[in-house]
Amino acid sequence: MISIQTADFDTGAEIRALQGNSQTGAVVSFTGLVRDMASHGAVTAIELEHYPAMTEKSLQAIIEQAGKRWPILGVRVIHRIGYLAAGEQIVMVAVSSAHRHAAFDAAAFIMDFLKSRAPFWKKEYVDGEGFWVESKSSDEAALERWNQT
């Protein structure tokens, strides 16, 4: 269900694994990539750190909340840590459900909360210099829609 890892992942294999239930009518996935740009310049890489026990507990709580809101059949969350070059995969959230609306909404909910509530620390490398990334107000704003539903 949850993997925090340095290794890359195969999105196709992960999605196929969620298709195994005969009740599955939809699998929705999101894969995030390391962008090569930031407000302060061209990003060559990022470095992600986390505190394992805290991060896994946080991700599990987010998935449990999604499961209380939507009829989820399966969830797969993969988040990479360590040094990642621009263009590499960093995160995947995939959700299976009997119906597409539940799968879309649950995947968006999980990603929005993962982005703003999961304890990962990110450093961007621009022109050889590392900059710690602060949380964005747009990420916090994305959570507001879930407070209204």
Side-chain angles (χ1 to χ4, degrees):
M1 187 183 291
I2 298 169
S3 296
I4 301 169
Q5 60 194 49
T6 56
D8 199 6
F9 51 89
D10 180 343
T11 55
E14 298 296 340
I15 290 168
R16 283 189 298 279
L18 287 173
Q19 295 173 339
N21 186 324
S22 64
Q23 296 175 330
T24 299
V27 176
V28 171
S29 69
F30 168 82
T31 303
L33 308 173
V34 177
R35 286 188 301 260
D36 67 354
M37 68 200 149
S39 60
H40 49 277
V43 174
T44 56
I46 65 169
E47 191 169 7
L48 285 129
E49 298 178 4
H50 79 300
Y51 180 69
M54 183 180 3
T55 305
E56 291 168 17
K57 185 175 180 180
S58 174
L59 291 174
Q60 187 61 45
I62 292 167
I63 291 169
E64 287 172 8
Q65 283 290 73
K68 290 177 182 175
R69 290 174 174 241
W70 297 281
I72 294 170
L73 297 173
V75 175
R76 184 70 168 117
V77 174
I78 302 171
H79 205 298
R80 293 181 66 198
I81 55 170
Y83 187 87
L84 303 170
E88 288 191 63
Q89 297 183 125
I90 184 173
V91 64
M92 178 182 157
V93 171
V95 176
S96 64
S97 183
H99 302 285
R100 71 181 184 279
H101 293 293
F104 271 113
D105 289 346
F109 176 92
I110 292 168
M111 190 61 223
D112 284 347
F113 276 84
L114 182 155
K115 181 78 172 152
S116 53
R117 294 293 185 259
F120 289 98
W121 296 274
K122 180 168 75 171
K123 185 185 286 189
E124 292 178 328
Y125 288 92
V126 176
D127 296 325
E129 188 175 351
F131 299 91
W132 288 105
V133 177
E134 305 265 335
S135 62
K136 297 177 184 173
S137 59
S138 60
D139 292 333
E140 290 296 320
L143 299 182
E144 285 304 309
R145 76 176 173 150
W146 304 114
N147 292 331
Q148 299 169 6
T149 58

